[in-house]
Amino acid sequence: MRPGDPGPSRDRGNSVAARAVPRAPGESQPRAPEITPTRFRPTLHPGAWWLWAISLGVAATRTTNPLLLALLLAASGYVVATHRSPAPWARSYTAFVRLALAVLLIRVLFAVALGSPIPGTHTLLTLPEVPLPHWAQGIRLGGRVTAEAVLFAAYDGLKLATLLVCVGAANALASPTRLLKSLPGALYETGVAVVVALTFAPHLIADVRRLRAARRLRGRPDRGLRGLLQVGLPVLEGALERSVALAAAMEARGYGRTAEVPARVRRTTAALTLGGLLGVCAGTYGLLTAEGGTYGLPVLLAGVLAALAGLRLGGRRSPRTRYRPDPWGAHAWLVTGSGAAVAALLTLASVRDPGALHPGVVPLVAPTLPLWPAAAVLLALLPAFAVPREPS
């Protein structure tokens, strides 16, 4: 394209492209550019990435096999590497990986320093043991450290680390502003509060940097307790003034107003929402424990359905429209289905072959890679190849 030629301008949904028209015979001036609308592929719904990541996290809770957990980490990391955007919020994946490594290290250090109930015969080292009073029975500081106890702690810590990395993948793939825009009407006030908080945080950081730079230029201290007070008070004052101005602007534009609904609808909404949340908590507890494997999934599904019904009814109090809502298309179903398939298949494998998904440490044996659960984990890679990359 030559300098001065009109280039294509596009947004997220529709775009307009300018195309030069050749000069007709006898015309002294060229024709104006012909404007033709161009349709671009819609971006993936952010809720699909969150459902995919949560499903991988559920799959991680069903096993302590380090080989399967490593496959989950590799699959989520590859999808993030292929579909992560250059936006600032997409850089959170590295922070979650570091947090996961810290959790794994802390879990192993706790097992070494505080002991473990896992019996073992392979002694790695013996630490000086600190005597504790009789009321602290069951707790040990120091003493003998066995390979079985360290390996059990590493398996347990790796499971929690994988869960954190899956959450980090969702944060890196899904835009938080688009996700908040897609919230149902019942959570409208919560979404507005989160958006305001996300908007104010950069302003607070900029105010702190500006005031610290101004104090340094004036030769005044900007560190320590005195510097913190001298910087914190103006920042707090500016934040309060900005909050009052924003509240007045939102009040003038009609934010916070709700529609009138019958009392029976409000009571039904409260009952469905509260019952659904209790069902989700009970079902999640059942899935995370070995004793609740039979009732965990039905209770969780019933709680989710009740909570969704409550949110649907609660949305009548906040009638609103969305500007350019994110479509839930075939790619969103594909991403969600791939994650749900991994969670369902690993849950089934944990019931049918618990020994393969939970390798023992007493006696000390090397973990093996079960074939069909490993193939199920590879389904998590489907979004990397079937979903187009979003435009940056």
Side-chain angles (χ1 to χ4, degrees):
M1 184 173 63
R2 298 191 304 269
D5 288 345
S9 62
R10 62 184 181 181
D11 54 20
R12 189 181 62 84
N14 300 327
S15 64
V16 176
R19 186 178 60 187
V21 179
R23 183 186 305 178
E27 290 183 351
S28 59
Q29 297 293 333
R31 295 182 184 179
E34 181 180 341
I35 306 299
T36 57
T38 305
R39 186 76 177 178
F40 285 90
R41 188 185 302 272
T43 54
L44 187 67
H45 196 285
W49 287 124
W50 269 101
L51 292 176
W52 172 81
I54 291 174
S55 300
L56 295 189
V58 171
T61 62
R62 309 313 299 168
T63 179
T64 56
N65 191 318
L67 301 179
L68 291 177
L69 293 175
L71 277 179
L72 284 171
L73 290 172
S76 61
Y78 184 79
V79 174
V80 170
T82 55
H83 284 73
R84 181 170 57 175
S85 68
W89 45 264
R91 303 171 187 171
S92 61
Y93 184 74
T94 305
F96 275 91
V97 171
R98 293 175 180 174
L99 178 61
L101 292 176
V103 167
L104 177 59
L105 181 60
I106 291 174
R107 180 66 180 89
V108 174
L109 290 179
F110 271 27
V112 172
L114 302 179
S116 175
I118 302 299
T121 57
H122 298 78
T123 303
L124 296 179
L125 69 157
T126 302
L127 299 176
E129 187 170 355
V130 179
L132 297 176
H134 66 280
W135 51 266
Q137 293 182 1
I139 302 176
R140 177 173 57 85
L141 295 178
R144 191 168 63 96
V145 179
T146 62
E148 289 84 354
V150 173
L151 195 60
F152 178 81
Y155 288 171
D156 194 43
L158 183 60
K159 179 173 68 174
L160 182 57
T162 306
L163 183 60
L164 289 173
V165 171
C166 292
V167 175
N171 280 275
L173 293 170
S175 171
T177 55
R178 286 174 51 204
L179 182 64
L180 290 172
K181 187 182 69 173
S182 303
L183 288 177
L187 301 178
Y188 171 64
E189 290 84 359
T190 305
V192 171
V194 174
V195 169
V196 171
L198 292 176
T199 306
F200 268 63
H203 289 290
L204 292 178
I205 296 174
D207 288 345
V208 170
R209 291 179 177 175
R210 177 175 54 82
L211 290 172
R212 291 185 61 184
R215 291 185 63 83
R216 284 195 298 268
L217 290 175
R218 293 180 175 89
R220 298 177 181 177
D222 61 327
R223 298 181 182 275
L225 182 59
R226 182 179 178 183
L228 179 62
L229 293 176
Q230 295 294 331
V231 172
L233 291 178
V235 169
L236 181 60
E237 181 182 359
L240 290 176
E241 292 179 354
R242 196 179 297 114
S243 301
V244 172
L246 180 61
M250 294 177 66
E251 178 67 22
R253 288 167 174 81
Y255 281 88
R257 298 178 183 176
T258 58
E260 292 293 336
V261 294
R264 57 183 179 83
V265 175
R266 292 198 301 268
R267 289 193 293 266
T268 305
T269 301
L272 286 175
T273 305
L274 182 60
L277 293 178
L278 291 177
V280 169
C281 294
T284 304
Y285 176 78
L287 289 177
L288 295 178
T289 58
E291 294 80 5
T294 56
Y295 69 86
L297 185 59
V299 173
L300 178 61
L301 293 178
V304 169
L305 292 177
L308 291 178
L311 292 177
R312 181 73 176 179
L313 287 177
R316 296 182 179 181
R317 297 182 64 250
S318 301
R320 64 191 182 100
T321 58
R322 292 184 178 91
Y323 177 69
R324 287 184 178 176
D326 290 309
W328 187 280
H331 288 131
W333 285 113
L334 179 64
V335 171
T336 306
S338 63
V342 174
L345 291 175
L346 280 191
T347 302
L348 180 62
S350 65
V351 175
R352 292 193 173 184
D353 191 7
L357 269 69
H358 299 277
V361 295
V362 180
L364 196 61
V365 294
T368 59
L369 181 64
L371 294 181
W372 74 269
V377 173
L378 294 180
L379 292 175
L381 290 171
L382 192 59
F385 304 100
V387 177
R389 182 182 175 87
E390 295 186 3
S392 57

